[in-house]
Amino acid sequence: MMGCTPRLPLIAALLGIAFAAPVSAEDAYDPWPGLVQDIFSNRAMNDGSGVIAIEMPYRAEDAAIVPVTLRSKLSPGDARRIRSITLVIDRNPAPMAAKFELGADANVSEISTRVRVNNYTDVHAVAELSDGQLYVSKTYVKASGGCSAPAGKNAEEANNRLGQMRYRQFAREDAPASRIREAQIMIGHPNNSGLQMDQVTQLYIPAFFINQLKLTQDDSPVLSMEGGISISEDPNLRFTYVSNGAKRFRAEAKDTDGHVFRNEWDVEKSGT
């Protein structure tokens, strides 16, 4: 019996392996290295913890409209600026959700929008700075089925609101001394992902979404977006920027069917 004693720990270990919860190949697979190659041509990724923050709920209430906020963490004394931010939802069918180009003189420091999340996934924010380097931060979101979730509006209602734009401006305690403004642009559009099914015909609805958005104060660039199927129905962006004294704020959007939508507003008024 004494000779059998050393085998007990080995037997216990084998039993532990046998009864452990199985790990699926999908859970074990990390798509991020491949996405770095496909989206960023394998460029070096630096730690972005001091450059860019990404905020999303850990567990989403609705996978079709998950809020996300991207925030600059550069210190005021840093001579660099963020040129662009790419939002990547790793396990979505089309992982690059959006790329935001920031106007050189607009000092955009925060961007919020809503996205679809199709699986439990890492979400990465990659900032390209004026030094030409890439900096990455990530978070994890528990959500599923967002890309195939039925539209919130029926086709007729969505069609009637197609391209309608609203502009809102929010009061800030530090304005007007700092000239910092906080604004929101909302666009009526179904932003169909191509993965949603028509409940009547049982056929897939073709992809149809806003793929370009450009925002300017007069003619000076503030923010532009290259969007994909992960941006939620009725896209909206809320953001901060620094006013250059312009009197008009302008928006131009294009969708995948070639429609062009334009509008402009008096920056001193918050309205539709």
Side-chain angles (χ1 to χ4, degrees), residues 75-129:
S75 64
D78 198 320
R80 301 171 300 172
R81 71 173 187 86
I82 297 178
R83 287 177 177 168
S84 68
I85 304 171
T86 304
L87 178 64
V88 182
I89 305 174
D90 293 18
R91 292 182 181 270
N92 268 15
M96 196 181 91
K99 182 175 182 180
F100 301 98
E101 299 279 352
L102 282 55
D105 301 316
N107 294 307
V108 174
S109 57
E110 185 173 313
I111 304 169
S112 296
T113 190
R114 303 175 306 182
V115 295
R116 299 178 170 117
V117 177
N118 214 50
N119 295 284
Y120 287 23
T121 185
D122 285 328
V123 182
H124 288 83
V126 179
E128 180 171 10
L129 267 58

Side-chain angles (χ1 to χ4, degrees), residues 171-198:
R172 293 179 60 97
E173 293 181 359
D174 52 1
S178 66
R179 297 188 297 128
I180 296 176
R181 297 184 184 272
E182 185 172 359
Q184 183 179 37
I185 293 289
M186 295 157 280
I187 308 171
H189 203 285
N191 253 40
N192 297 325
S193 67
L195 301 174
Q196 298 150 308
M197 185 174 288
D198 187 304

Side-chain angles (χ1 to χ4, degrees), residues 167-234:
Y167 165 80
R168 294 180 63 193
Q169 189 170 279
F170 302 89
R172 293 179 60 97
E173 293 181 359
D174 52 1
S178 66
R179 297 188 297 128
I180 296 176
R181 297 184 184 272
E182 185 172 359
Q184 183 179 37
I185 293 289
M186 295 157 280
I187 308 171
H189 203 285
N191 253 40
N192 297 325
S193 67
L195 301 174
Q196 298 150 308
M197 185 174 288
D198 187 304
Q199 301 304 303
V200 177
T201 66
Q202 297 297 295
L203 299 175
Y204 284 102
I205 302 168
F208 174 47
F209 55 90
I210 297 289
N211 59 353
Q212 294 180 47
L213 174 64
K214 182 170 69 173
L215 307 176
T216 61
Q217 44 182 335
D218 282 345
D219 295 319
S220 178
V222 173
L223 179 64
S224 65
M225 181 188 77
E226 177 187 344
I229 67 170
S230 297
I231 299 297
S232 300
E233 179 180 5
D234 294 333

Side-chain angles (χ1 to χ4, degrees), residues 32 43-52 80 125-129 131-138:
W32 179 241
R43 293 173 61 188
M45 293 282 167
N46 301 291
D47 177 14
S49 57
V51 174
I52 185 76
R80 301 171 300 172
V126 179
E128 180 171 10
L129 267 58
D131 62 5
Q133 298 295 306
L134 299 181
Y135 298 83
V136 61
S137 295
K138 74 174 182 178

